[in-house]
């Protein structure tokens, strides 16, 4: 089967900093944290935790009130990111405006929680307020495939429309499968990415019960997430949406599109070892498989955007996996976890980190693991950690890791755009 090159022609996200794509990357590269102390108005008691919110996001303004009112917030964030990526790719919203045949164009989306908040809100109405019924929109707002369904409808995408749910690897799975469809020739264009909203009471309390949430208060929250640091205390949840437009390379070139990068490989597997504890052997297999899929060697990789959630157990295992795969090259391999700044978006994590990775190659600028300087855990030694953003030159290939509960591993390989 012929393999087609896959161009990244559009990038879009809802930034927790409130600005555009370029502003987002510059702030991440500068090591600026978007984590803040959040106090909710939930009943019967408020939540208090370090969290990343897209506080400036106004769904009615971004999408229009009729469309926004049909969606739960995870779909609103996803649709807004998709529109931004579509415009960034220079594509018309309606097929009639550019004469394109979108019968095989599709949308594959990642989300871990989907519209869980809609169902939680309905339960509150029933049990706390004594209501007899919930909103008639509860099903269509709460279903996990709501985001990709709305995206496909709004952009007229007649091909596959589906959601991937694999915990923290959800968006990377979706991006990888979208990549495979373009590479095989099954689709000319795919819209892919992920979105999640993680501050539902049941979600936060479930994560707190696992004792993997970072501690913080109104003063310390910006530095609460410290991957690879000796004093790390856990992850910080967040909300967001991020999208990529993947396009057949020849088609992109023919229409004069700006190419922001290239997807060159994808691998996924299962640790088949433990429901929550990461497994080095499974991660190693995934990393080696993505190198094989991309047709590259370990020495060809110039940067890794790590899964790096700042949990005591997970961070050292990921570093050990990288050391096993990259051998002597590992000590010279720049590695960073940008979750230290934009938080852990669960099902959307792989999408926002894919954008960071693609832009690191495009801008020749490696983002840091914030709050790491002088704090490196000896158990995480062995790779070239990046405590401050670096300007570099000549980096051509990068990986983005997603290692999820359930043992679901997904790794994406990116190449820099042509000069």
């Amino acid at each position: 089967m012929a393999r087609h090159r896959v161009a990244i022609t559009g990038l879009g996200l809802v930034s927790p900093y409130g600005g555009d794509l370029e502003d987002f990357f510059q702030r991440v590269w500068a090591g600026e944290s978007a984590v803040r102390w959040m106090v909710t108005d939930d009943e019967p008691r408020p939540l208090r935790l370090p969290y990343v919110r897209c506080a400036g996001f106004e769904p009615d303004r971004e999408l229009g009130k009729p469309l926004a009112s049909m969606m739960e917030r995870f779909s609103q964030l996803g649709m807004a990111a998709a529109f931004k990526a579509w415009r960034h790719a220079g594509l018309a919203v309606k097929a009639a405006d550019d004469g394109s045949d979108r019968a095989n164009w599709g949308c594959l989306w990642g989300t871990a929680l989907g519209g869980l908040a809609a169902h939680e809100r309905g339960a509150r109405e029933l049990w706390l307020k004594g209501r007899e019924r919930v909103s008639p929109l509860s099903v269509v707002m709460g279903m996990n495939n709501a985001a990709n369904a709305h995206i496909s409808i709004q952009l007229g995408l007649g091909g596959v429309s589906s959601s991937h749910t694999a915990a923290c690897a959800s968006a990377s799975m979706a991006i990888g499968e979208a990549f495979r469809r373009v590479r095989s020739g099954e689709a000319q264009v795919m819209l892919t990415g992920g979105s999640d909203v993680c501050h539902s009471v049941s979600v936060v309390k479930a994560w707190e019960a696992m004792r993997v949430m970072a501690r913080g208060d109104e003063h310390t929250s910006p530095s609460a997430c410290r991957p690879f640091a000796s004093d790390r205390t856990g992850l910080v949840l967040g909300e967001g949406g991020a999208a990529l437009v993947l396009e057949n390379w020849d088609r992109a070139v023919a229409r004069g599109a700006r190419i922001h990068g290239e997807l060159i490989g994808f691998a996924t597997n299962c640790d088949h070892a433990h429901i929550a504890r990461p497994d080095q052997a499974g991660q190693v297999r995934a990393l080696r498989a993505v190198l094989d899929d991309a047709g590259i060697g370990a020495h060809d990789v110039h940067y890794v955007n790590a899964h790096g959630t700042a949990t005591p157990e997970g961070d050292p295992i990921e570093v050990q996996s990288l050391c096993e795969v990259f051998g002597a090259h590992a000590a010279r391999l720049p590695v960073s976890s940008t979750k230290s700044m934009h938080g852990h978006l669960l099902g959307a994590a792989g999408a926002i980190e894919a954008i960071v990775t693609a832009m690191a190659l495009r801008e020749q600028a490696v983002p840091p693991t914030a709050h790491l300087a002088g704090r490196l855990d000896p158990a995480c030694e062995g790779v070239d950690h990046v405590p401050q953003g670096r300007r570099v030159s000549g980096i051509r290939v990068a990986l983005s890791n997603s290692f999820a509960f359930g043992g679901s591993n997904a790794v994406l390989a990116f190449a820099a755009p042509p000069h």
Side-chain angles (χ1 to χ4, degrees):
M1 180 185 295
R3 285 192 169 194
H4 302 271
R5 294 177 69 184
V6 180
I8 302 168
T9 55
L11 301 169
L13 55 77
V14 178
S15 172
Y17 304 107
D20 60 13
L21 177 72
E22 309 299 330
D23 174 79
F24 167 80
F25 183 74
Q26 286 304 314
R27 288 175 186 249
V28 167
W29 181 83
E32 180 180 336
S33 175
V35 181
R36 298 292 183 268
W37 182 246
M38 182 178 75
V39 180
T40 70
D41 58 0
D42 289 282
E43 300 175 14
R45 66 182 70 86
L47 293 173
R48 296 179 173 86
L49 72 159
Y51 190 77
V52 175
R53 292 203 74 172
C54 297
F57 176 63
E58 298 179 15
D60 289 357
R61 184 189 66 196
E62 292 280 343
L63 307 174
K65 190 170 183 178
L67 180 58
S69 65
M70 293 287 293
M71 299 177 175
E72 190 55 54
R73 188 169 174 86
F74 96 101
S75 294
Q76 294 169 343
L77 290 163
M79 188 75 252
F83 276 149
K84 291 173 187 286
W86 206 251
R87 290 193 295 267
H88 196 230
L91 295 167
V93 172
K94 300 298 182 183
D97 293 338
D98 62 10
S100 56
D101 178 3
R102 302 181 182 180
N104 74 350
W105 298 14
C107 177
L108 292 177
W109 202 251
T111 184
L113 304 174
L116 180 147
H119 300 302
E120 183 178 277
R121 187 167 56 252
R124 289 185 184 199
E125 294 291 313
L126 293 172
W127 300 111
L128 293 183
K129 299 182 180 180
R131 303 280 169 80
E132 292 296 324
R133 65 188 67 185
V134 298
S135 166
L137 294 177
S138 295
V139 171
V140 294
M141 293 176 71
M143 62 192 191
N144 274 28
N145 66 316
N148 59 272
H150 280 293
I151 292 167
S152 295
I153 291 167
Q154 293 300 314
L155 300 179
L157 309 180
V160 61
S161 182
S162 184
S163 62
H164 286 250
T165 298
C168 314
S170 301
S172 291
M173 293 278 196
I175 294 167
E177 295 300 333
F179 158 71
R180 284 176 172 172
R181 288 176 183 266
V182 177
R183 184 173 66 175
S184 70
E186 182 177 345
Q188 289 287 298
V189 177
M190 291 292 296
L191 191 291
T192 186
S195 56
D196 251 334
V197 176
C198 308
H199 64 263
S200 296
V201 173
S202 57
V203 172
V204 171
K205 290 301 180 183
W207 281 98
E208 286 180 347
M210 291 193 76
R211 301 183 183 275
V212 294
M213 295 271 281
R215 296 187 291 273
D217 55 33
E218 59 251 68
H219 305 295
T220 62
S221 286
S223 60
C225 185
R226 301 185 293 277
F228 310 120
S230 56
D231 61 349
R232 65 190 182 279
T233 60
L235 59 86
V236 168
L237 294 174
E239 67 174 5
L244 301 86
V245 176
L246 307 183
E247 188 169 351
N248 175 283
W249 187 278
D250 292 339
R251 184 187 191 280
V253 170
R255 72 179 182 89
R258 181 183 178 186
I259 294 174
H260 301 278
E262 182 177 2
L263 256 177
I264 59 172
F266 167 60
T268 181
N269 67 11
C270 184
D271 291 346
H272 63 79
H274 193 277
I275 196 67
R277 187 180 189 277
D279 178 72
Q280 183 176 337
Q283 293 182 8
V284 166
R285 286 192 297 112
L287 288 162
R288 286 177 172 157
V290 80
L291 298 179
D292 183 64
D293 189 58
I296 57 176
H299 62 280
D300 295 315
V301 178
H302 302 124
Y303 168 58
V304 174
N305 186 286
H307 185 60
T309 58
T311 57
E313 194 168 39
D315 289 4
I317 291 176
E318 183 172 11
V319 172
Q320 291 159 19
S321 299
L322 291 170
C323 288
E324 182 173 342
V325 171
F326 289 95
H329 179 54
R332 302 185 299 277
L333 179 62
V335 173
S336 66
S337 171
T338 51
K339 286 185 178 74
S340 54
M341 295 164 282
H342 56 63
H344 194 346
L345 309 189
L346 297 187
I352 198 167
E353 288 157 24
I355 286 179
V356 168
T357 307
M359 292 197 69
L361 291 172
R362 194 192 79 177
E363 300 299 314
Q364 298 287 281
V366 175
T369 301
H371 330 303
L372 183 60
R375 287 171 155 156
L376 181 62
D377 182 352
C380 296
E381 292 178 349
V383 298
D384 180 13
H385 288 283
V386 184
Q388 294 181 318
R390 293 180 190 169
R391 291 290 178 188
V392 292
S393 62
I395 61 171
R396 296 293 305 157
V397 175
L399 304 182
S400 181
N401 293 342
S402 295
F403 301 139
F405 279 0
S408 295
N409 302 314
V411 186
L412 297 164
F414 297 81
H419 297 297

